[in-house]
Amino acid sequence: MSGFTHFDAEGRAQMVDVGDKPATERIATAKGRVVMAPETLAMIVEGRAKKGDVLAVARLAGIMAAKKTADLIPLCHPLMLSKVAVDLVPLPPDRIEIEATVKLTGQTGVEMEALTAVSVAALTVYDMVKAVDRGMRIEDIRLTHKSGGKSGSFDAA
Amino acid sequence: MSGFTHFDAEGRAQMVDVGDKPATERIATAKGRVVMAPETLAMIVEGRAKKGDVLAVARLAGIMAAKKTADLIPLCHPLMLSKVAVDLVPLPPDRIEIEATVKLTGQTGVEMEALTAVSVAALTVYDMVKAVDRGMRIEDIRLTHKSGGKSGSFDAA
Amino acid sequence: MSGFTHFDAEGRAQMVDVGDKPATERIATAKGRVVMAPETLAMIVEGRAKKGDVLAVARLAGIMAAKKTADLIPLCHPLMLSKVAVDLVPLPPDRIEIEATVKLTGQTGVEMEALTAVSVAALTVYDMVKAVDRGMRIEDIRLTHKSGGKSGSFDAA
Amino acid sequence: MSGFTHFDAEGRAQMVDVGDKPATERIATAKGRVVMAPETLAMIVEGRAKKGDVLAVARLAGIMAAKKTADLIPLCHPLMLSKVAVDLVPLPPDRIEIEATVKLTGQTGVEMEALTAVSVAALTVYDMVKAVDRGMRIEDIRLTHKSGGKSGSFDAA
Amino acid sequence: MSGFTHFDAEGRAQMVDVGDKPATERIATAKGRVVMAPETLAMIVEGRAKKGDVLAVARLAGIMAAKKTADLIPLCHPLMLSKVAVDLVPLPPDRIEIEATVKLTGQTGVEMEALTAVSVAALTVYDMVKAVDRGMRIEDIRLTHKSGGKSGSFDAA
Amino acid sequence: MSGFTHFDAEGRAQMVDVGDKPATERIATAKGRVVMAPETLAMIVEGRAKKGDVLAVARLAGIMAAKKTADLIPLCHPLMLSKVAVDLVPLPPDRIEIEATVKLTGQTGVEMEALTAVSVAALTVYDMVKAVDRGMRIEDIRLTHKSGGKSGSFDAA
């Protein structure tokens, strides 16, 4: 099954050997968004200014989730992340843009950690606001930057 | 901060009291998709027939993630789920549709568990295929059905 | 070893049988404090008004820790908490008072969940502020209220 | 918010970048105590000699908790601890002194791991003895030694 | 795939629906053993009398592992165990017999929890003694008793 | 208690200091088996060919469990595994042979990770098949190969 490194020659799932890779600095950035009713976003923005900061709770949840990636994604390696930052920006009238950047010096990339941080931050926004808007959607979670490692850099919108 | 039940009157985040709610049967279904290059989907479908089943690994990851929801989403209640099912269907030329259904008899809904299962199943597809396609996107994660509980039923496309 | 219910007649540690206890509403409140240099408290209070809310992060950490109690304390039963609230109040010149209240309807009390929430909220304050004040102390963590269960209510200062 | 490294310039919580720090040997020691009724301490000491060793259970709980620190404290880095030791010493008439030492060679300190080990060991003592003494208090948890890292050594009583 | 309830009609793994089962008292007992060199067992027994109790550490590890069963076994339901007891008995010249009993009132059985407790207690014995005896074997882990639930009781040697 | 490195001179359990050991490549392989009724094995093999792959689920569970070893075994060090592979082979008429290989470059061996992977893979087979065969036994879990580290290599059948 050429190309899918998480299977061996017999098609059995495995955690691939990264022991021979050099330890280099790896950075990954992922993005995504939560789309909602304009009134819902207005409530979040208003609450932030006053009391009850949905975005601060979601940011923390995203950071903590990055540390749990190897526990969630079956074939991910456990990693000692050296940095995790998550940002949520309200974009009126109807969305919150989420971006996560993860960094480590190690033998494997941190794309999954960045994507997991964005996903869980988005889920946390949903959880905190679902009582007023069940129709929210989590959209467009993707990798936007990756550097370090032999496969070279990657950049996308 | 009316409407946002996860904050008290002072704007402090809290895990809300569900102790007085009756225990009823709760069901939630969520959906989402992973969009990729057509060749990537072809590889997944081919591998499934032969050896190395990406979708089976992602299904398991989604089921296990549903059980971790309270550990990931800060203000979610720990729940004793009575059923979790996750399904991934390839939709040529370029996508995999994911659906998760979660059920319990309890005092609070299971929307977050269904949404978390879909999200982690999608992330697992990404992880297993990322070596051949870094441009995949996770799209349109949303609640499509909810029943049980005093807020009534909810259905969406 | 009369009195220590976590040991059997031979002195072997065990998770005691609560299966025959009735499910009643249980509430527990615990308190504690972090004592620090007055300048440190001033920085926390100032940051809260402006940007960077140490107390909001610690509150969330306390809530999430309550859910992990059975994972941390070897002989605690896993419980489905119905409510967790944690509050941190700056008390000038030199301390932050912490209070946690936990509630469930079940067969065993939630004292350990309330005490764990206070402890981890206090540790989180320490973590966020340690770069400017290594001499902080966590003081006086204790149970202040307990109700429900056959052992009756308990109240303390 | 100068001094509080866990916030960025905008006041957003983050897991700070330690990737550029050199990997050096880091050691931290923390202390604390549990204060109780003299009869409670007598029961613990007697049980230890005979059967049912509260202190041995608490020691293990403390060691295991040190390994969970990054899961409990939101902005802590995951670390590969090279040593954890926890000691509990009964100090008649009414207290148990707890000390934890943690060591690693890495890019960030292990103060939080030592403080977490002490806190959870203390909570475990409370849990095992609470049926006979609800008035126990956990006191004076603090860092007593730290070495390694650019911020230099720290020693306190 | 008749008989294998963890697969649906299409052969997809699932966490089966137990929501319609009545909540009854469920008990399960499992056993197993660790076989080792006679000198190794002598060291363990001697240490137990003096200092350093391998069996007490393994007992705690087994109890704590029972609580993690749903996290380890992909299709197990999360359960609120009401009792866990683990016992390890040296059987000279060369083995330690392990027995675990788990109990709950609920909708599904606790066989996996009892078997997991025995397995992890056995692994912990191995870990603590491996520096002197790498040839140890974990043998004969099996269910010896099960009651409660519609499938009736089960007893084996 | 000479020989048992997990206790200090006073017999207190500890996580031993590996900080002075050199980081070398460590490999460990463990084996075990599940013995069952011949009809049970026939069902598993048939299901594998058609739909419902018990062995694929067990393999994933074993891989994921290797990553949780330090969480399960009280005195194990947290490790950054660089490879985990688990294989399950049906051996008619009545058994499934399990083998796990774990690798890392680090300061301590990975025997416990390999043994834990085998144990949890075996438990998962039991879980998925228990509805048709409660008499299964998990047999002969042992270390079969170890290399790297100053204690030298070890090989067994």
Side-chain angles (χ1 to χ4, degrees), chain A residues 25 48 59-60 63-64 67-68 79-89 103 105, chain D residues 12-20 70-80 107:
Chain A
E25 188 184 84
R48 195 187 192 188
R59 180 184 306 119
L60 265 192
I63 291 172
M64 295 179 84
K67 297 191 272 184
K68 292 183 205 289
L79 297 177
M80 285 174 49
L81 309 178
S82 59
K83 177 186 171 172
V84 183
V86 177
D87 200 13
L88 295 100
V89 177
K103 196 175 143 190
T105 299
Chain D
R12 291 176 297 224
Q14 60 174 353
M15 206 171 98
V16 297
D17 192 353
V18 298
D20 295 332
D71 201 36
L72 291 171
I73 312 296
L75 303 172
C76 269
H77 293 80
L79 297 177
M80 285 175 49
Q107 293 173 308

Side-chain angles (χ1 to χ4, degrees), chain C residues 26-28 79 81 102-104 108-115:
Chain C
R26 317 270 183 152
I27 299 178
L79 296 177
L81 308 178
V102 179
K103 197 175 143 188
L104 99 162
T108 183
V110 286
E111 301 99 299
M112 294 316 303
E113 282 72 15
L115 289 161

Side-chain angles (χ1 to χ4, degrees), chain B residues 7-41:
Chain B
F7 294 104
D8 68 12
E10 303 302 314
R12 290 176 297 223
Q14 60 176 352
M15 206 171 98
V16 297
D17 193 353
V18 298
D20 295 331
K21 293 189 180 181
T24 60
E25 187 183 84
R26 317 272 183 151
I27 299 179
T29 300
K31 291 186 181 171
R33 77 176 64 92
V34 186
V35 181
M36 62 194 71
E39 315 85 74
T40 310
L41 186 65

Side-chain angles (χ1 to χ4, degrees), chain A residues 11-35:
Chain A
R12 291 176 296 223
Q14 61 175 353
M15 207 172 96
V16 298
D17 191 354
V18 298
D20 295 331
K21 293 188 180 183
T24 60
E25 188 184 84
R26 317 271 183 152
I27 298 179
T29 300
K31 290 186 181 171
R33 78 177 62 93
V34 186
V35 182

